[in-house]
Amino acid sequence: MHDLVFAIHSVTMSDTEDRTTIAKAPFDNPNGDIVLRSTIDHVDFRTFKVILSLMSPVLKDMFTPPQNDLQSGVSSVPVIPVAESSTTLESLLLLCYPAATPTFQSLDNVKAVMEAAKKYDMQAALNRAADLAMSQFLPTHFLELYALSCRFGWQHYAQAAALRALEIRNLGRPSPEFGSMQDITALDHHRLLVYHHACGIAAQAVGNSLAWMEPTITSKDMPMWYHTSRGCSCANRSDLTMLQVADFGRLKITQWFNDYLVASGKELCERPCESTMWELPAYNRAIAKAAECSVCRMTVVESMERFRALYIAQVKKVVANVKLATS
């Protein structure tokens, strides 16, 4: 028997019936054999015991007491008063119907539904709510979803939310974006910061060596490190940096390309995500500097576009290998 205890209200049905309304479909079915009544806004949800019994052991236990322990409406259908609002109750019950999918009005609605699902031991509904919440709110509410995922023990969703949180620059600094994370524990917050830092270090390291590049003819002939023309002013310097490129060995790279790698590494350390690469001012600066060379200007735009695509793919690859600590 579950510990949850439902209070049975001793109210006259005439007074209650005058104040209640019937929920919209599919919870207005006259054939329903049980009614869940929201005591907050007095809305009746007509549903079926068999569905609720399969979804909730708690509600199943509620159906076993003698009928005089339950309220009954004018049609003699048992009525169970519940403390949830009609908005929460509607979403919760839709999660119990296989052919129905609710759309949450807000993240607060999600939290209320999850708490209700936990209260009534509706594990399947709780899992469905998590799936829907992630698909609906992850792009804009990843910090809140990280906190919720940690709270309910959903490790894979916590990892997905933490990955999206990489879009926040310098996550460890005080920020108003954490205002909605009041439910998170200090340990889970610390784990998020450790994950963000580890991803930043991994992403920054991608530009320290280009050994990860495929040794193709196309990659070998990029102007950033391949200099065959004596007219290339970028190559005629004695202070050029040497860098491992694919398996071609350590090659001299142009100053404008080295500046790009250094700048991108610093930015990735603070914000290790794809958006950083697309928004990086150093990219256009590198192309503008290369355009000053009569040789490099011929191919720099195409080569930098090709390199950036490879760079982004490698950053995403190394970040994906960083795992969020969960225990």
Side-chain angles (χ1 to χ4, degrees):
M1 183 66 65
H2 298 272
D3 294 332
L4 183 63
V5 177
F6 291 83
I8 304 300
H9 301 286
S10 56
V11 299
T12 61
M13 289 310 300
S14 58
D15 292 339
T16 306
E17 291 293 341
D18 288 342
R19 294 185 294 133
T20 58
T21 57
I22 304 299
K24 62 184 180 181
F27 307 115
D28 58 352
N29 193 327
N31 296 319
D33 57 3
I34 193 72
V35 171
L36 297 186
R37 172 171 295 159
S38 168
T39 58
I40 293 180
D41 36 20
H42 308 290
V43 179
D44 282 358
F45 290 79
R46 296 180 177 177
T47 183
F48 298 89
K49 292 180 181 179
V50 63
I51 294 177
L52 299 183
S53 295
L54 291 172
M55 295 296 294
S56 168
V58 173
L59 291 177
K60 181 180 179 181
D61 290 345
M62 285 296 298
F63 303 150
T64 56
Q67 291 297 312
N68 57 11
D69 281 353
L70 298 176
Q71 297 180 13
S72 59
V74 294
S75 59
S76 298
V77 175
V79 177
I80 300 180
V82 295
E84 286 69 34
S85 70
S86 59
T87 300
T88 299
L89 201 54
E90 179 182 23
S91 297
L92 179 65
L93 292 177
L94 283 174
L95 292 169
C96 298
Y97 280 56
T101 301
T103 298
F104 296 115
Q105 297 178 1
S106 65
L107 197 58
D108 286 337
N109 182 208
V110 173
K111 294 177 182 178
V113 171
M114 288 183 173
E115 288 299 331
K118 182 180 179 181
K119 170 183 174 182
Y120 299 119
D121 198 10
M122 294 179 169
Q123 191 58 49
L126 187 58
N127 292 338
R128 282 195 70 195
D131 293 340
L132 293 172
M134 291 296 290
S135 62
Q136 187 175 342
F137 294 106
L138 182 60
T140 54
H141 294 79
F142 41 79
L143 287 178
E144 297 96 317
L145 288 175
Y146 172 77
L148 275 177
S149 299
C150 292
R151 182 178 179 183
F152 286 97
W154 296 318
Q155 296 181 7
H156 58 300
Y157 285 146
Q159 177 83 40
L163 182 62
R164 293 301 297 263
L166 297 179
E167 297 178 9
I168 301 176
R169 183 185 305 276
N170 292 323
L171 188 65
R173 292 180 180 176
S175 169
E177 296 191 60
F178 285 92
S180 55
M181 296 181 67
Q182 62 268 23
D183 296 328
I184 197 171
T185 66
L187 178 58
D188 288 329
H189 184 210
H190 177 70
R191 287 170 173 168
L192 180 62
L193 298 183
V194 170
Y195 171 78
H196 194 285
H197 177 72
C199 288
I201 296 299
Q204 183 181 35
V206 173
N208 294 339
S209 170
L210 305 184
W212 48 266
M213 292 187 64
E214 293 291 333
T216 64
I217 295 178
T218 303
S219 63
K220 186 175 183 180
D221 292 342
M222 288 185 174
M224 300 82 116
W225 50 73
Y226 187 66
H227 315 286
T228 57
S229 174
R230 293 183 178 180
C232 178
S233 59
C234 300
N236 297 328
R237 296 180 53 165
S238 59
D239 59 345
L240 294 181
T241 301
M242 302 291 289
L243 193 67
Q244 179 69 37
V245 179
D247 62 359
F248 306 140
R250 292 178 60 80
L251 305 180
K252 289 183 178 181
I253 62 173
T254 62
Q255 187 60 48
W256 53 263
F257 184 64
N258 183 65
D259 291 343
Y260 167 71
L261 291 179
V262 171
S264 62
K266 291 180 179 178
E267 290 294 316
L268 284 170
C269 188
E270 297 180 350
R271 186 171 175 252
C273 63
E274 181 177 352
S275 298
T276 296
M277 303 299 295
W278 290 110
E279 300 166 7
L280 191 66
Y283 180 82
N284 290 329
R285 287 201 303 266
I287 292 178
K289 191 65 178 178
E292 297 176 3
C293 172
S294 59
V295 176
C296 291
R297 72 170 62 140
M298 304 298 293
T299 58
V300 64
V301 173
E302 178 184 355
S303 296
M304 282 294 287
E305 286 181 351
R306 189 163 63 245
F307 176 79
R308 181 168 61 175
L310 296 172
Y311 196 3
I312 290 173
Q314 185 65 15
V315 167
K316 292 171 70 174
K317 181 179 179 180
V318 299
V319 166
N321 289 330
V322 180
K323 300 305 178 184
L324 177 74
T326 56
S327 61

